[in-house]
């Protein structure tokens, strides 16, 4: 800590992690390490399949590749530090390190929410306007959407992180979480957090509200279109292309809503830790499995890439 004008300024934080449950340390270390390895391997396989399999060079898989990249960034910004905390007596993180972790976490999480909305729109066009799909979802539009998602979310992360760096932290310095997250950081600040709270609320409304409504609208039109189909085979095929995405959306939004769509004053450390495990560890691990196991094209590509998988 540095003393400035009789005020102590925090230069590093202590991540509480799961220190209040020492008996679970070994179990959690094994679980988190397994999840991290699975998330990395699964998402790298997805990126490799989409890159090297010509059969997967379509908008749906292009956006899936972007989602896999953000899953890797999300888990890598949180899990290594969480594992260090489980293996050491005290898990400290510098102020700059904390802000860097916050930036990459907010960037990856908000990007995933936007990508899920874009992927829902892609499925809407594919099922509701199949004859115009290739012209509507052109490579130029897909590229522009991807760049837009990454840029908008990087700006959002920069604003929220920049606002956090303007706050004063005079102690205590224990973050009641296993990574640097906005709500527990705001509770530690000894300066007004009104602007931060407003910006967090705006981000919640945009990412958790507007995006969620757009995704629901897309699936509302998709389900209506599927129900109008006369062919049972057509209905089955149309639903199978959307089911994996719908499962991912359900898991992701439910955990993010629990963690973020609540005021900082009602912040519950225990609840936040559980929901954070869902969206930062479990969701990135499950996404590749859901898309691989429930998608015939991905399974075929995997079978060509790794012949042993085809038997």
């Amino acid at each position: 800590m540095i003393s400035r004008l009789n005020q102590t300024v925090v230069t590093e934080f202590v991540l509480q992690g799961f220190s209040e449950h020492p008996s679970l340390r070994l179990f959690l270390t094994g679980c988190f390490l397994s999840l991290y390895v699975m998330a990395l391997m699964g998402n790298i396989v997805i990126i490799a399949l989409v890159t090297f399999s010509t059969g997967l060079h379509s908008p749906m898989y292009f956006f899936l590749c972007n989602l896999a990249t953000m899953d890797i960034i999300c888990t890598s910004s949180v899990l290594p530090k969480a594992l260090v905390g489980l293996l050491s007596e005290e898990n400290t993180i510098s102020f700059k390190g904390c802000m860097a972790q916050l930036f990459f976490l907010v960037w990856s999480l908000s990007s995933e929410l936007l990508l899920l909305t874009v992927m829902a729109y892609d499925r809407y066009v594919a099922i509701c306007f199949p004859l115009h799909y290739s012209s509507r979802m052109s490579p130029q539009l897909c590229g522009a959407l991807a760049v837009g998602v990454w840029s908008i979310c990087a700006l959002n992360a920069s604003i929220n992180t920049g606002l956090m760096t303007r706050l004063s932290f005079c102690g205590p310095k224990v973050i009641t979480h296993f990574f640097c997250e906005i709500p527990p950081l705001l509770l530690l600040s000894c300066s007004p957090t009104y602007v931060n709270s407003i910006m967090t609320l705006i981000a919640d409304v945009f990412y958790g509200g507007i995006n969620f409504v757009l995704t629901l609208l897309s699936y509302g039109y998709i389900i209506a279109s599927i129900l109008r189909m006369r062919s049972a085979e057509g209905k089955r095929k149309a639903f199978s292309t959307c089911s994996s995405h719908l499962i991912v959306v359900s898991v992701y939004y439910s955990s993010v809503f629990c963690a973020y769509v609540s005021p900082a004053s009602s912040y519950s450390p225990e609840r936040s830790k559980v929901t954070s495990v869902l969206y930062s560890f479990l969701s990135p691990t499950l996404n590749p499995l859901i898309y691989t196991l429930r998608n015939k094209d991905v399974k075929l590509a995997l079978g060509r890439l790794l012949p042993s998988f085809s038997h």
Side-chain angles (χ1 to χ4, degrees):
M1 290 191 179
I2 296 172
S3 183
R4 189 188 300 160
L5 299 175
N6 296 325
Q7 190 180 51
T8 306
V9 179
V10 172
T11 56
E12 67 174 19
F13 295 104
V14 176
L15 294 168
Q16 184 189 65
F18 300 93
S19 57
E20 71 274 31
H21 304 294
S23 59
L24 295 175
R25 182 172 287 187
L26 194 63
F27 170 73
L28 289 173
T29 302
C31 283
F32 289 178
L33 185 60
S34 301
L35 286 171
Y36 187 45
V37 171
M38 286 173 66
L40 279 182
M41 288 179 64
N43 285 294
I44 287 169
V45 166
I46 290 288
I47 293 167
L49 285 175
V50 175
T51 304
F52 298 112
S53 303
T54 52
L56 300 182
H57 289 176
S58 67
M60 182 171 79
Y61 299 111
F62 169 72
F63 292 124
L64 178 58
C65 191
N66 277 265
L67 186 69
T69 304
M70 278 302 170
D71 276 340
I72 291 171
I73 293 171
C74 181
T75 50
S76 296
S77 65
V78 172
L79 255 167
K81 193 63 180 168
L83 286 168
V84 169
L86 287 167
L87 297 170
S88 57
E89 288 302 313
E90 189 176 70
N91 190 17
T92 59
I93 186 169
S94 67
F95 183 81
K96 287 182 180 178
C98 186
M99 293 303 106
Q101 188 182 59
L102 181 67
F103 171 83
F104 283 108
L105 185 70
V106 172
W107 183 38
S108 57
L109 287 177
S110 54
S111 293
E112 289 187 21
L113 288 172
L114 266 188
L115 280 169
L116 289 174
T117 305
V118 171
M119 291 169 81
Y121 175 72
D122 171 70
R123 292 299 83 207
Y124 159 71
V125 176
I127 289 169
C128 298
F129 305 98
L131 299 177
H132 303 284
Y133 179 67
S134 56
S135 59
R136 283 202 179 191
M137 297 303 292
S138 65
Q140 292 81 8
L141 177 64
C142 292
L145 285 170
V147 170
V149 166
W150 287 58
S151 303
I152 290 168
C153 297
L155 178 63
N156 169 57
S158 299
I159 291 169
N160 278 286
T161 308
L163 286 171
M164 194 65 73
T165 61
R166 294 169 63 87
L167 297 180
S168 298
F169 296 91
C170 321
K173 62 175 185 176
V174 177
I175 298 173
T176 56
H177 213 300
F178 55 88
F179 59 82
C180 292
E181 194 184 34
I182 292 173
L185 279 170
L186 293 183
L187 292 175
L188 292 180
S189 174
C190 54
S191 55
T193 59
Y194 180 74
V195 177
N196 297 68
S197 298
I198 292 294
M199 284 307 299
T200 304
L201 181 63
I202 291 169
D204 284 346
V205 170
F206 177 67
Y207 289 105
I210 295 171
N211 271 298
F212 186 60
V213 169
L214 289 173
T215 303
L216 284 181
L217 278 173
S218 294
Y219 273 97
Y221 282 113
I222 286 168
I223 291 166
S225 181
I226 290 172
L227 292 174
R228 285 198 298 269
M229 291 179 181
R230 294 178 182 178
S231 163
E233 177 64 20
K235 286 182 180 179
R236 188 198 62 77
K237 190 176 178 182
F239 184 73
S240 70
T241 62
C242 299
S243 57
S244 53
H245 183 248
L246 204 51
I247 293 167
V248 169
V249 167
S250 302
V251 171
Y252 204 81
Y253 269 105
S254 57
S255 58
V256 169
F257 274 141
C258 289
Y260 283 100
V261 186
S262 59
S265 56
S266 65
Y267 175 76
S268 164
E270 290 303 311
R271 184 191 67 185
S272 183
K273 286 176 191 177
V274 173
T275 53
S276 296
V277 168
L278 287 175
Y279 69 72
S280 62
F281 298 177
L282 203 59
S283 187
T285 306
L286 290 176
N287 287 356
L289 288 173
I290 293 167
Y291 281 109
T292 304
L293 296 175
R294 297 188 62 85
N295 191 297
K296 191 170 75 175
D297 293 335
V298 175
K299 281 195 280 189
L300 283 171
L302 190 60
R304 292 192 195 100
L305 195 69
L306 304 168
S308 59
F309 279 76
S310 61
H311 299 298

